[in-house]
Amino acid sequence: MTPDLFELVRDSVVAWDDQGVIRAWNPAAAILYGWTTEQAIGAPVETLLGPIPSDRAEAVIERHTLDGRRIVVEATWARRPGETLEIGRDVTAQRSVEDQLKRSELRYSSLFQAMAAAFWELDFSPVGGLLRELREQGVIDIPRHFKTHPEFVREMMRRTRVVDVNDTTLAMFGVGHRDHLASSVEPYWPEASSPVYAAAVAAAIGRQTHYMTETRLRRQDGTEFDALFTAAFPHEGLAQGALLVGVIDISERLTAQADLRRLRDDFAHAARVSMLGELAASIAHEVNQPLAAITTNAAASLRWLSRDEPDVSRVIDLTSNIRADAQRAADVIARVRAMASKQSAAHETLAIRQIIDETLLFLRDELQGRDARVEVSAEPLSVRGDRTQLQQVLVNLIINAAQAALPGRGSLIRITAALCGDEVEVRVADNGLGLSVEPDSLFTSFYSTKPEGMGLGLPICRSIVEAHGGRIHAENDSAGGAVFVIRLPGEPAYTKV
Ligand code: ADP
């Protein structure tokens, strides 16, 4: 190559002699490295380009330009006695893309392996064929077709091939060895979870980028577990049918939640039962009254019947009284049983006035015994909730109010129910001692100023009210005494009756 030809080539051309002194430096070399031809000629090659491997004919090497930039050069050397010629091509940009790719691949594969989630790489392309057939058959609403043809969904699962999984998958799904992994995803989906799989496919067809939900999946041994299921549909991958699925085992979290719920129910149950002990006397009285009436009426009936001429019409009257009294007693028992039984909360529409009245009926003797007077002013409102639980809240607040009476003075308890914004507000106010501590602290467990008190009443009230989506707080009444305020949320169901 003559020097003028060097000037035309795009690659850098550099030549040096046996002493390493640069003899040729074309314009492309000047552009690449930054030194002009004049500056380079006569300079030692290793000063400008760094060490040159003498035993190689070509190599990809890192160099630095005049202004300190790092570049990657693919170099080829031709040698003859007294002279070396180097042709170089700048591959920096290409290399950095390759590096990035390699790095992201590495990151991906270490994520794939190391995460606590199970990852599945799936090949979805055979399902694509199935879906195409469906369309050719004229099925337009494909998600609907999934709903009406569960066997089609199972077939899609059978055709979804497992390409790769990480080690977490093997552990989570109880697969002893990679070779034992099924070739399709079908065995890992319980029948009941089919709609979730169908919804994921529908999301992919609908061009969403991902789909996430909670579902149940099946381990290799047939047992099931609760899982958070995520499917990603990368647009580039989808064309080739690639699908990435992540699974997190959430069974422990769900178990913990269930335990917590059970604990709360047990707690509320224990409190209800202990309160029943306190109220046993008034319950006995409630039941005793109708029983006494039944005994009297039955004795009278017998007398009328044992006359020479039995008075049937009187006996009919007495018998219907007996029936009414027996019903009253049965109602009381049923109410008590509902309070003691560990039913979880039922939600029905309840007239707030009725809740208050029933509670007061329940407490009648207790309140009389304490010389407590109750005034009720309730707007005709209804709330949604559990009758027994809401009554339990009121029982607690009313007994507390009565117990707070100042010595030697009967208490006056005022109960009001009114609409406040779109919430239903129930207030239980008394003229007693008032609150001597920060009101909020009363709602923390085991705070009590009573010799026999457990300090559980108010915390339970709060958990019941909150379970109903409401709030409860206490404050001192400006007229003396304490007031407890319950607010239940104003949904459309909380309407006036
Ligand atoms: P306990 O039944 O053990 O008293 P509670 O949770 O029902 O438990 O109440 C906790 C404490 O809150 C009571 O011991 C009392 O000091 C205070 N308290 C509750 N209601 C009133 C009230 N109406 N007036 C004054 N203090 C009250």
Side-chain angles (χ1 to χ4, degrees):
M1 233 189 287
T2 60
D4 15 326
L5 268 180
F6 291 174
E7 315 237 321
L8 299 174
V9 290
R10 284 235 194 103
D11 296 339
S12 72
V13 180
V14 180
W16 56 91
D17 61 20
D18 270 353
Q19 274 73 50
V21 176
I22 295 175
R23 297 290 171 213
W25 186 270
N26 76 342
I31 291 167
L32 181 58
Y33 299 113
W35 289 276
T36 63
T37 308
E38 292 72 39
Q39 288 170 324
I41 302 260
V45 66
E46 298 217 331
T47 310
L48 268 54
L49 301 184
I52 310 284
S54 57
D55 52 340
R56 310 268 298 271
E58 55 183 41
V60 174
I61 48 179
E62 252 188 59
R63 284 181 177 156
H64 286 90
T65 60
L66 175 62
D67 56 13
R69 254 183 325 111
R70 193 188 70 92
I71 55 172
V72 184
V73 177
E74 197 178 78
T76 319
W77 297 281
R79 296 185 179 87
R80 63 181 180 198
E83 196 176 16
T84 303
L85 182 80
E86 180 198 286
I87 297 177
R89 173 175 302 161
D90 180 9
V91 292
T92 315
Q94 191 183 327
R95 274 298 147 135
S96 97
V97 170
E98 274 171 24
D99 278 1
Q100 266 174 23
L101 261 175
K102 226 181 262 161
R103 264 203 303 276
S104 90
E105 219 160 78
L106 205 72
R107 212 162 40 221
Y108 170 74
S109 65
S110 52
L111 263 182
F112 194 80
Q113 273 312 331
M115 292 275 286
F119 280 121
W120 297 68
E121 202 178 313
L122 304 175
D123 176 10
F124 196 58
S125 49
V127 177
L130 264 187
L131 294 174
R132 256 193 310 282
E133 275 171 34
L134 259 196
R135 284 205 191 90
E136 280 160 17
Q137 285 161 21
V139 177
I140 297 164
D141 189 346
I142 289 184
R144 209 181 107 87
H145 185 83
F146 292 165
K147 281 200 188 95
T148 49
H149 296 78
E151 73 292 346
F152 184 87
V153 177
R154 299 309 293 186
E155 185 56 28
M156 289 198 296
M157 290 176 184
R158 270 190 285 277
R159 301 234 194 150
T160 306
R161 278 198 297 261
V162 179
V163 177
D164 194 11
V165 299
N166 62 350
D167 293 344
T168 312
T169 302
L170 301 180
M172 192 182 291
F173 286 80
V175 183
H177 192 275
R178 205 164 269 273
D179 295 347
H180 301 152
L181 195 72
S183 57
S184 88
V185 298
E186 200 263 349
Y188 304 105
W189 285 84
E191 211 74 47
S193 301
S194 290
V196 169
Y197 186 87
V201 177
I205 298 174
R207 300 204 162 271
Q208 291 178 28
T209 52
H210 66 277
Y211 174 80
M212 193 192 318
T213 189
E214 286 180 13
T215 186
R216 281 179 80 74
L217 293 176
R218 194 193 281 140
R219 297 188 191 91
Q220 192 95 338
D221 65 3
T223 56
E224 294 178 12
F225 66 100
D226 291 297
L228 181 71
F229 167 87
T230 318
F233 320 117
H235 281 315
E236 326 71 74
L238 210 57
Q240 282 105 49
L243 191 71
L244 202 60
V245 161
V247 177
I248 295 173
D249 185 340
I250 52 168
S251 50
E252 276 176 22
R253 197 188 80 193
L254 292 184
T255 317
Q257 276 172 355
D259 284 352
L260 206 69
R261 219 173 300 132
R262 211 171 310 121
L263 204 71
R264 219 175 40 210
D265 284 355
D266 284 352
F267 191 57
H269 176 63
R272 249 178 280 175
V273 170
S274 78
M275 204 153 48
L276 279 181
E278 230 179 281
L279 296 172
S282 63
I283 295 161
H285 183 87
E286 283 259 8
V287 182
N288 227 11
Q289 268 188 334
L291 281 183
I294 288 169
T295 314
T296 316
N297 287 334
S301 297
L302 283 176
R303 275 200 307 278
W304 288 114
L305 284 171
S306 55
R307 286 189 169 197
D308 289 345
E309 273 188 35
D311 190 333
V312 176
S313 68
R314 277 181 184 267
V315 172
I316 288 175
D317 283 351
L318 289 168
T319 311
S320 54
N321 284 348
I322 289 173
R323 189 172 62 185
D325 282 328
Q327 187 57 51
R328 246 174 75 203
D331 286 349
V332 173
I333 299 291
R335 232 170 30 232
V336 172
R337 195 180 289 146
M339 266 194 141
S341 79
K342 226 167 97 176
Q343 300 156 334
S344 41
H347 277 257
E348 50 184 326
T349 303
L350 306 163
I352 199 79
R353 173 84 211 203
Q354 197 181 346
I355 299 279
I356 297 170
D357 287 347
E358 283 177 358
T359 309
L360 290 174
L361 193 69
F362 200 66
L363 291 173
R364 198 178 50 196
D365 282 85
E366 170 92 2
L367 293 174
Q368 261 169 19
R370 291 180 175 275
D371 196 21
R373 216 151 45 83
V374 182
E375 286 177 359
V376 180
S377 143
E379 282 180 34
L381 297 166
S382 73
V383 294
R384 263 188 87 69
D386 183 281
R387 174 186 302 274
T388 311
Q389 290 190 355
L390 291 177
Q391 282 176 349
Q392 192 189 337
V393 172
L394 288 178
V395 163
N396 255 315
L397 297 183
I398 295 167
I399 288 182
N400 274 351
Q403 287 177 339
L406 291 163
R409 184 173 141 188
S411 56
L412 173 64
I413 303 168
R414 283 203 183 85
I415 304 172
T416 57
L419 203 59
C420 179
D422 49 10
E423 293 180 303
V424 172
E425 188 185 74
V426 180
R427 299 169 77 90
V428 178
D430 62 59
N431 59 348
L433 297 160
L435 307 171
S436 52
V437 294
E438 216 280 297
D440 246 355
S441 65
L442 302 178
F443 295 94
T444 54
S445 296
F446 308 121
Y447 175 85
S448 180
T449 50
K450 301 166 198 167
E452 312 275 69
M454 280 174 68
L456 281 177
L458 292 176
I460 290 168
C461 288
R462 180 159 76 176
S463 66
I464 292 175
V465 171
E466 286 180 356
H468 282 75
R471 284 165 297 146
I472 180 168
H473 74 268
E475 55 200 34
N476 275 316
D477 200 336
S478 51
V483 52
F484 285 77
V485 184
I486 302 167
R487 292 231 173 107
L488 293 166
E491 291 163 16
Y494 292 73
T495 48
K496 286 205 167 208
V497 286

